[in-house]
Amino acid sequence: MASGERTREAPRQTGEGPAPDGPERVAVTGEAADVIRRLTDQHGPLMFHQSGGCCDGSSPMCYERGELRTGDSDVLLGELGVEGVAEPVPFWMSAGQYAYWSHTHLTVDVVPGRGSGFSLEAPEGVRFLIRSRLLEESD
């Protein structure tokens, strides 16, 4: 993971203020950061949402910021700070999915292949995916 491409916010529901003293919940690999930079250049500020479910619902979806409306059933895990991208990239997850993943640290990565046609990286010939590990006391 490239330095400076991490977040330090704890999860929060829509409308709540940030909780910066919590553990880091989500980060991004250097390869994924490269794709985020390209997509930001093409589309402007971005956001991620992971809803769970079938099809590509278990993969994080990348949208132009505000293209997907979040609500009370969504949790903001944190904001990805990507070097070369002016604004942090918020990473949202459905509250139901968060119930299953609340004990994990997530890392946004990218692999070759096509994901969902709704996610901005689809035309790039890559797809975002999540790598996870259990949170540790040191997190």
Side-chain angles (χ1 to χ4, degrees):
M1 179 175 355
S3 64
E5 296 173 345
R6 302 168 64 91
T7 179
R8 296 303 294 176
E9 283 193 17
R12 61 183 168 121
Q13 296 291 122
T14 300
E16 291 183 8
D21 296 328
E24 176 186 273
R25 301 307 305 241
V26 62
V28 60
T29 66
E31 294 81 8
D34 290 341
V35 175
I36 290 170
R37 279 188 281 276
R38 284 196 311 268
L39 293 174
T40 299
D41 288 345
Q42 294 171 17
H43 302 281
L46 305 175
M47 66 182 286
F48 280 96
H49 189 274
Q50 183 160 345
S51 64
C54 68
C55 306
D56 273 332
S58 58
S59 296
M61 304 292 280
C62 183
Y63 301 102
E64 292 179 19
R65 181 147 338 138
E67 183 179 1
L68 178 74
R69 295 184 72 187
T70 57
D72 292 339
S73 63
D74 296 301
V75 176
L76 178 61
L77 292 182
E79 294 181 323
L80 301 168
V82 177
E83 190 176 318
V85 174
E87 297 181 39
V89 180
F91 189 101
W92 293 89
M93 180 178 279
S94 70
Q97 184 80 348
Y98 178 72
Y100 293 111
W101 291 67
S102 62
H103 61 286
T104 60
H105 175 276
L106 306 178
T107 301
V108 179
D109 201 356
V110 67
V111 294
R114 282 194 57 110
S116 170
F118 296 113
S119 194
L120 291 175
E121 82 281 4
E124 301 280 319
V126 296
R127 66 183 181 89
F128 288 112
L129 62 83
I130 291 295
R131 301 195 187 278
S132 65
R133 67 171 172 78
L134 292 175
L135 285 172
E136 301 171 4
E137 285 187 34
S138 61
D139 285 332

